[in-house]
């Protein structure tokens, strides 16, 4: 039996790339990867694009990114590309949801980027639960209020990408079809006034 999963590199060069993998107790492939030692080999294939077109600088004025869990990985790649190009004036707005503070992947890296590029990058976090009195992000299930406070209002200059678990994507933007086509825009983004032409589900 062969098991395959798609992962998005968080960094890459001509000769190497880094992949962020979260280990789940019942995750067949994540446990397989975590069992490997330096020097062991695994088979990989790709590259596969999940976007309608490859990102080009200044393609949009405002790029809203809504991520859940490991859905941050393709977005981290986009964020680094935008911020690393001085000629790219795109502004990036990230709303990132997780079950708890401890589950937030790449938080230190994202916070540092927000500090380094305050005019180009904004990040806000959502957690299902927290007991911390110092937590400054949103708490609870993602809703229209959180979106409106994190991403510019719907207009022709705003494009939104959504990536995360199927249940999260369905809640935020509606289910993809059984053939993994985009499907109708529903959920939080529709109630917040967004048009399906400006929303893309990864």
């Amino acid at each position: 039996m062969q098991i395959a999963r798609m992962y998005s590199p968080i960094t890459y060069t001509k000769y190497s790339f880094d992949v962020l993998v979260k280990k789940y107790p019942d995750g067949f492939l994540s446990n397989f990867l975590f069992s490997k030692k330096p020097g062991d080999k695994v088979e990989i294939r790709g590259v596969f694009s999940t976007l309608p077109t490859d990102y080009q600088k200044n393609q949009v004025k405002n790029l809203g990114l809504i991520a859940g869990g490991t859905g941050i990985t393709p977005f981290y790649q986009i964020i680094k590309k935008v911020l690393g190009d001085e000629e790219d004036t795109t502004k990036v707005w990230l709303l990132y949801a997780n079950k708890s503070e401890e589950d937030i992947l790449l938080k230190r890296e994202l916070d540092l980027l927000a500090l380094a590029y305050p005019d180009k990058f904004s990040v806000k976090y959502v957690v299902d639960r927290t007991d911390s009195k110092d937590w400054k992000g949103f708490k609870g299930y993602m809703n229209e209020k959180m979106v409106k406070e994190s991403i510019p209002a719907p207009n022709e200059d705003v494009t939104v990408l959504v990536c995360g678990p199927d249940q999260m994507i369905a809640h935020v933007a509606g289910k993809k079809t059984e053939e993994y086509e985009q499907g109708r825009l529903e959920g939080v983004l529709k109630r917040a006034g967004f048009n399906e032409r400006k929303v893309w589900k990864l």
Side-chain angles (χ1 to χ4, degrees), residues 42-156:
V42 297
E43 292 183 347
I44 62 172
R45 62 191 177 103
V47 176
F48 305 102
S49 176
T50 55
L51 295 173
T53 59
D54 291 332
Y55 176 82
Q56 302 294 326
K57 65 182 177 182
N58 299 317
Q59 190 172 350
V60 296
K61 289 185 178 181
N62 292 284
L63 183 60
L65 305 176
I66 300 180
T70 55
I72 188 62
T73 54
F75 290 165
Y76 187 70
Q77 189 179 131
I78 295 172
I79 292 165
K80 294 275 286 186
K81 186 171 185 178
V82 173
L83 300 184
D85 188 342
E86 293 182 355
E87 296 181 356
D88 196 335
T89 59
T90 300
K91 293 185 178 181
V92 183
W93 314 79
L94 173 64
L95 180 59
Y96 184 20
N98 284 274
K99 291 183 178 180
S100 67
E101 293 180 67
E102 294 73 23
D103 291 318
I104 301 175
L105 303 172
L106 298 170
K107 187 176 188 301
R108 179 177 180 275
E109 290 83 354
L110 293 168
D111 288 344
L112 288 174
L113 288 173
L115 287 172
Y117 301 93
D119 295 329
K120 290 185 68 174
F121 178 54
S122 169
V123 56
K124 293 190 177 181
Y125 302 100
V126 184
V127 295
D128 291 352
R129 59 184 183 277
T130 179
D131 295 324
S132 173
K133 296 181 180 179
D134 298 323
W135 176 247
K136 297 180 180 179
F138 298 113
K139 181 180 177 181
Y141 218 39
M142 192 177 296
N143 56 43
E144 299 96 293
K145 181 176 182 293
M146 298 175 187
V147 170
K148 291 177 180 178
E149 292 183 12
S150 306
I151 296 174
N155 63 67
E156 287 300 312

Side-chain angles (χ1 to χ4, degrees), residues 15-38:
Y15 303 103
S16 66
F17 61 89
D18 294 315
V19 176
L20 179 66
V21 179
K22 184 175 182 179
K23 184 179 181 182
Y24 294 94
D26 57 350
F28 183 90
L29 193 58
S30 64
N31 280 280
F32 167 76
L33 293 174
F34 272 78
S35 72
K36 297 303 173 183
K37 301 178 179 60

Side-chain angles (χ1 to χ4, degrees), residues 129-194:
R129 59 184 183 277
T130 179
D131 295 324
S132 173
K133 296 181 180 179
D134 298 323
W135 176 247
K136 297 180 180 179
F138 298 113
K139 181 180 177 181
Y141 218 39
M142 192 177 296
N143 56 43
E144 299 96 293
K145 181 176 182 293
M146 298 175 187
V147 170
K148 291 177 180 178
E149 292 183 12
S150 306
I151 296 174
N155 63 67
E156 287 300 312
D157 292 331
V158 181
T159 295
V160 180
L161 306 182
V162 185
C163 187
D166 291 344
Q167 184 178 3
M168 175 262 184
I169 291 178
H171 173 71
V172 172
K175 293 181 179 180
K176 298 180 77 171
T177 69
E178 293 182 359
E179 294 77 26
Y180 291 96
E181 299 294 331
Q182 287 295 294
R184 296 192 310 174
L185 177 65
E186 297 177 338
V188 173
L189 289 179
K190 182 176 182 179
R191 294 194 297 272
F194 284 89

